[in-house]
Amino acid sequence: ERGMAYVPCNNYALASNTLHDALHGTLYSEANPGWLRSVRRRMVLKGPALRGVFGAAYVTDLHMAAPVAFNFTDAWGLAFLLPFDRPLVRKLYRRFKQKVTQSGSEGAYVASSPISEKMEISDVPINTGFAAILAQGMGDTGLADAFRRYAASAFNAGWQESRYLYKGALRTLHTTSLLALSCSIEPGGEDFVKLFNDPPEHAAREEPFLAQVADPTGTVGVSQAEYRADERTLHITLRQVGDPSDVRLREPAEVALTIGNVGAAPQIEVNGQAMSDVECAYSPDGSLGFTVRVACVGGTPCAIRLYSPI
């Protein structure tokens, strides 16, 4: 759209620049402050908060932003501006919150205008998903939980075999992805900022990691896979996923795990019980494989502990 600029769309240009710099040592993100200054000067709407946050688009030929805002572009724009201009997002967050609709004990949501829905620009589930990311990134966990609580009820959240989806949302996968992302961000969004701005930790490339889960049943999920350097231990938790009433009726499932970057034979525990070397298969590339029996209810913890160098 030549001659038009949008806050949420250009957030991805900012992300492309910072991620490329982090990975390849370039300096593309030096262009980011120029755009952010333009947002502050030209695209933040003045006047009553109910007008919204950002002008829907900046028209270069007119040298001005459209004097209208959409809940969709405000929620989307603020959520993914978090990694690049937290002070501005924090300043505008209070204004955005005035556009949130509270629904009592059911939670909260962000409405979508009839014209936006008719043109298939946005809908309530999408707006609410972006808003949940924003609230979580701001550390407003009460409102983030209210968004997710409303979504679970209003958008028919539930299990479809081994997948948890917001089945009542028109754009089911988009809505599910946004709300899942909101759950994965730590309150305050520090990890969300680092995700886009910090260079990779080269030491992490040498750490053990969960490389593969071979699950013939298709019912086992990974709820934890974290290496703790202070313990020299990779912690993994597996669980059977699906509707709880169905999971209780299942049998334990056997899955094969492959762990990369292991090196010397580690100490392995499954459900607190040590596993012998004969139960493991080692590969020349430094990986190992072993089988885990995953209970039908609750998590099955595994710990792969490296021996400290002498």
Side-chain angles (χ1 to χ4, degrees):
E1 295 180 56
R2 194 176 182 88
M4 305 281 282
Y6 305 84
V7 172
C9 299
N10 277 346
N11 284 342
Y12 296 99
L14 303 180
S16 296
N17 290 343
T18 57
L19 290 170
H20 196 280
D21 288 356
L23 291 170
H24 303 292
T26 53
L27 299 174
Y28 291 126
S29 59
E30 289 183 349
N32 289 2
W35 166 248
L36 294 171
R37 284 194 296 271
S38 294
V39 171
R40 285 173 171 265
R41 294 172 182 172
R42 301 174 179 175
M43 300 198 69
V44 177
L45 294 178
K46 311 299 182 184
L50 290 179
R51 290 187 67 198
V53 178
F54 298 120
Y58 183 81
V59 185
T60 57
D61 288 346
L62 299 178
H63 303 288
M64 63 176 293
V68 295
F70 297 108
N71 287 349
F72 173 55
T73 48
D74 283 350
W76 178 16
L78 287 169
F80 282 87
L81 196 61
L82 269 170
F84 310 108
D85 197 340
R86 289 182 61 79
L88 178 60
V89 176
R90 190 172 296 281
K91 178 180 177 181
L92 298 174
Y93 181 60
R94 182 177 300 176
R95 172 185 286 249
F96 174 79
K97 284 180 68 172
Q98 294 191 41
K99 303 300 290 292
V100 172
T101 301
Q102 298 287 342
S103 188
S105 61
E106 294 181 359
Y109 65 91
V110 178
S112 178
S113 65
I115 189 172
S116 293
E117 294 190 355
K118 186 173 182 179
M119 295 175 66
E120 297 184 349
I121 295 172
S122 71
D123 54 40
V124 172
I126 291 290
N127 291 359
T128 303
F130 280 121
I133 294 171
L134 172 60
Q136 188 78 8
M138 283 285 93
D140 191 352
T141 55
L143 184 55
D145 289 342
F147 286 137
R148 291 189 287 260
R149 190 167 65 252
Y150 180 88
S153 173
F155 312 142
N156 193 26
W159 290 95
Q160 184 174 303
E161 297 179 350
S162 60
R163 299 177 179 179
Y164 189 82
L165 302 167
Y166 291 83
K167 296 174 285 187
L170 182 63
R171 299 169 177 85
T172 299
L173 295 181
H174 293 78
T175 302
T176 301
S177 298
L178 293 174
L179 289 162
L181 178 59
S182 78
C183 293
S184 69
I185 298 171
E186 66 181 27
E190 183 178 348
D191 55 344
F192 195 47
V193 175
K194 289 181 178 178
L195 176 66
F196 290 95
N197 293 281
D198 283 13
E201 295 182 19
H202 294 290
R205 298 179 182 180
E206 308 301 321
E207 296 173 352
F209 64 96
L210 177 60
Q212 185 180 32
V213 179
D215 172 25
T217 68
T219 63
V220 174
V222 180
S223 58
Q224 180 191 36
E226 177 188 8
Y227 179 72
R228 299 175 189 167
D230 58 332
E231 301 175 10
R232 291 179 56 80
T233 302
L234 174 62
H235 292 273
I236 298 169
T237 304
L238 307 170
R239 63 175 61 243
Q240 293 201 41
V241 295
D243 188 293
S245 60
D246 295 333
V247 170
R248 293 191 197 96
L249 302 177
R250 294 178 188 163
E251 297 293 328
E254 287 198 349
V255 299
L257 304 188
T258 302
I259 311 298
N261 282 352
V262 174
Q267 177 186 346
I268 301 173
E269 293 181 358
V270 177
N271 259 331
Q273 301 296 314
M275 181 175 285
S276 67
D277 284 348
V278 297
E279 298 176 272
C280 303
Y282 293 89
S283 300
D285 64 359
S287 63
L288 72 85
F290 57 92
T291 299
V292 175
R293 191 174 175 85
V294 182
C296 57
V297 177
T300 299
C302 310
I304 297 89
R305 185 171 295 107
L306 305 185
Y307 288 109
S308 299
I310 298 177

